């Protein structure tokens, strides 16, 4: 599920993420510092699976959305691991290239990951459909957007992409406001589903900060 936008503005990089989720699915009230594979990272925490949907570390800024490049035809009842844990498995590696070449994604539900390598400033969209991992190098794009293929139709995804790309010169607070305007409200699709939080990571060559706005 979810909507993301990633803006490159000179030496500033801004990732903003709407988390569309079951309202009853609890998450932490704040950003938490943790370690995985002996690497420190910062993220809100999904209380059910103990993973996350967005994080930053010294090496990466990354987030995950349900569904691959196209809407999945079906889901199995059980998978090997939560996608919120799979996102954190990027921390095993020093680069996206290593992740692509090494990570075993068998028996993992379809997902899309956006990941930004902080040292070399490369950015990628990774699409997994349970059979194949497709990689889209978006390092040269000033604005990158993506909507979950499970909840947003192709026409709505194109519409959201056009909205962001027609708003190139927004400040960080204005990007947050635009994400808030695009959020899924309770009852838009199902009564149990909504945008439960909006998160934003702002980085430059020397500093990084994260905002986490919990809505449910």
């Amino acid at each position: 599920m979810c909507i993301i936008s990633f803006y490159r503005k000179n030496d500033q990089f801004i990732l903003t993420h709407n988390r569309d989720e079951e309202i009853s699915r609890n998450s932490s009230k704040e950003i938490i510092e943790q370690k995985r594979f002996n690497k420190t990272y910062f993220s809100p925490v999904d209380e059910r699976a103990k993973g996350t949907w967005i994080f930053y570390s010294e090496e990466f800024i990354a987030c995950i959305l349900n569904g691959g490049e196209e809407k999945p035809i079906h889901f199995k009842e059980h998978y090997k691991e939560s996608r919120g844990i799979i996102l954190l498995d990027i921390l095993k590696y020093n680069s996206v290239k290593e992740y692509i070449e090494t990570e075993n994604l068998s028996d993992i539900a379809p997902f899309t990951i956006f990941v930004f390598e902080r040292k070399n400033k490369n950015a990628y969209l990774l699409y997994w459909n349970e059979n194949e991992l497709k990689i889209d190098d978006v390092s040269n794009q000033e604005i990158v957007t993506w909507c979950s293929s499970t909840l947003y139709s192709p026409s709505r995804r194109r519409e959201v992409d056009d909205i962001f790309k027609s708003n190139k010169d927004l400040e960080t607070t204005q990007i947050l406001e635009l994400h808030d305007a695009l959020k899924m409200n309770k009852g838009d699709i199902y009564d149990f589903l909504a945008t439960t939080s909006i998160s934003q990571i702002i980085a430059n060559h020397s500093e990084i900060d994260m905002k986490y706005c919990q809505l449910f």
Side-chain angles (χ1 to χ4, degrees), residues 3-156:
I3 294 175
I4 67 165
S5 70
F6 179 72
Y7 282 68
R8 291 177 181 260
K9 302 180 71 174
N10 299 317
D11 191 37
Q12 190 176 57
F13 309 93
I14 307 157
L15 174 64
T16 312
H17 181 286
N18 283 20
R19 187 192 190 203
D20 301 339
E21 186 53 87
E22 296 176 13
I23 295 169
S24 61
R25 185 158 183 158
N26 294 329
S27 59
S28 63
K29 306 283 186 197
E30 58 190 2
I31 299 160
I32 298 174
E33 177 181 348
Q34 296 186 86
K35 279 199 170 185
R36 186 169 175 83
F37 308 114
N38 207 33
K39 303 222 181 125
T40 300
Y41 71 94
F42 299 83
S43 76
V45 176
D46 173 66
E47 298 292 355
R48 184 185 299 175
K50 304 304 179 184
T52 191
W53 54 97
I54 187 169
F55 79 87
Y56 74 86
S57 68
E58 183 178 348
E59 298 85 5
F60 302 111
I61 296 171
C63 65
I64 194 164
L65 305 87
N66 286 359
E69 187 175 23
E70 303 297 336
K71 184 176 181 177
I73 297 173
H74 63 83
F75 286 99
K76 295 191 294 187
E77 188 173 349
H78 298 289
Y79 287 94
K80 179 176 64 178
E81 190 65 89
S82 163
R83 285 165 289 195
I85 298 295
I86 292 299
L87 176 65
L88 293 172
D89 284 349
I90 292 172
L91 292 165
K92 289 182 197 174
Y93 307 102
N94 294 315
S95 68
V96 173
K97 183 175 184 289
E98 285 185 19
Y99 175 86
I100 292 166
E101 293 177 347
T102 309
E103 186 70 6
N104 179 8
L105 295 172
S106 61
D107 198 26
I108 300 299
F111 64 72
T112 299
I113 284 175
F114 172 84
V115 56
F116 175 71
E117 296 177 329
R118 294 181 64 191
K119 291 181 180 177
N120 60 25
K121 300 180 175 57
N122 290 334
Y124 304 89
L125 284 165
L126 311 179
Y127 311 105
W128 171 248
N129 65 5
E130 294 195 58
N131 296 303
E132 179 185 14
L133 183 65
K134 181 177 177 181
I135 302 96
D136 188 5
D137 187 335
V138 292
S139 302
N140 294 324
Q141 295 185 27
E142 291 185 1
I143 301 176
V144 179
T145 69
W146 194 256
C147 300
S148 164
S149 62
T150 60
L151 283 183
Y152 295 87
S153 67
S155 61
R156 178 56 176 164

